[in-house]
Amino acid sequence: MSNQSQEFVPRIEDRSLSMPALVELLRAVLDRGAQFRFEAPGFSMSPFIQDGDTITVAPLAGASPRRGDMVAFLRPDSGKVVVHRVVGKQDGAFLIQGDNAEETDGPVLAASILGRVTEVKRDGSPIRLGLGPERYIIAGLSRWGLLRPLLLWGWPLVRPIVRRLSP
């Protein structure tokens, strides 16, 4: 069996894991070359990832995350697992920010990045918006503080188009 077909999918009942246990489990699964799938909590990546969407995180396999990639990382101030987007680099560290957040999470060292988001599913259907080439534009708009206002005012106009394009 190839590493790409291996994955660990925690059930809804498994959501009661403590944060240290989740971090340990996530690291163990990714270190084995398998993917880790879980349900997203919160709205910091909205509208590209919404509360309850299923996220698949794959190991980095020695590759460095690139600007625009969504990554799972350990937040430096709390040690919590967070999924946000790489919006730049600064002094050898990554600048990571939620698409629906006003500020970056601060500089994040490469050792704190656990894996890259490779798939998002909403109600069982894949969501591609935010994972393709547009991720570079999203990262730039986010870094410059323009994504939130654009989504606030423009999303109601764009939403019907996105729904038609989604499978």
Side-chain angles (χ1 to χ4, degrees):
M1 182 187 301
S2 77
N3 285 344
Q4 290 180 343
S5 64
Q6 297 176 357
E7 64 182 33
F8 177 79
V9 184
R11 296 182 312 269
I12 297 298
E13 301 91 303
D14 297 334
R15 288 181 59 163
S16 62
L17 286 175
S18 68
M19 187 54 65
L22 175 64
V23 170
E24 185 178 338
L25 180 60
L26 180 57
R27 281 188 191 270
V29 169
L30 294 174
D31 285 349
R32 293 182 73 119
Q35 298 179 356
F36 190 90
R37 186 176 290 168
F38 63 97
E39 201 172 283
F43 299 93
S44 65
M45 288 296 290
S46 182
F48 304 106
I49 298 176
Q50 295 181 6
D51 186 54
D53 286 353
T54 302
I55 302 171
T56 301
V57 177
L60 292 172
S64 183
R66 295 174 298 188
R67 188 170 156 231
D69 286 347
M70 287 188 233
V71 295
F73 69 100
L74 293 177
R75 199 175 161 99
D77 58 350
S78 67
K80 290 183 177 181
V81 174
V82 178
V83 172
H84 282 168
R85 189 180 304 276
V86 176
V87 296
K89 282 184 93 171
Q90 182 180 48
D91 300 326
F94 294 92
L95 294 175
I96 300 176
Q97 182 172 349
D99 290 342
N100 197 23
E102 292 183 21
E103 298 179 3
T104 69
D105 296 295
V108 176
L109 299 175
S112 295
I113 298 176
L114 303 169
R116 178 181 290 114
V117 174
T118 58
E119 183 179 60
V120 177
K121 286 189 175 183
R122 186 168 303 141
D123 299 322
S125 296
I127 302 297
R128 291 181 182 87
L129 189 64
L131 289 173
E134 71 282 356
R135 71 184 184 273
Y136 302 113
I137 296 169
I138 294 168
L141 290 171
S142 196
R143 179 72 178 110
W144 298 321
L146 299 173
L147 185 62
R148 286 188 79 222
L150 182 65
L151 290 174
L152 179 67
W153 299 106
W155 188 247
L157 300 172
V158 175
R159 184 179 309 160
I161 297 167
V162 170
R163 283 188 180 156
R164 277 189 234 131
L165 294 175
S166 296

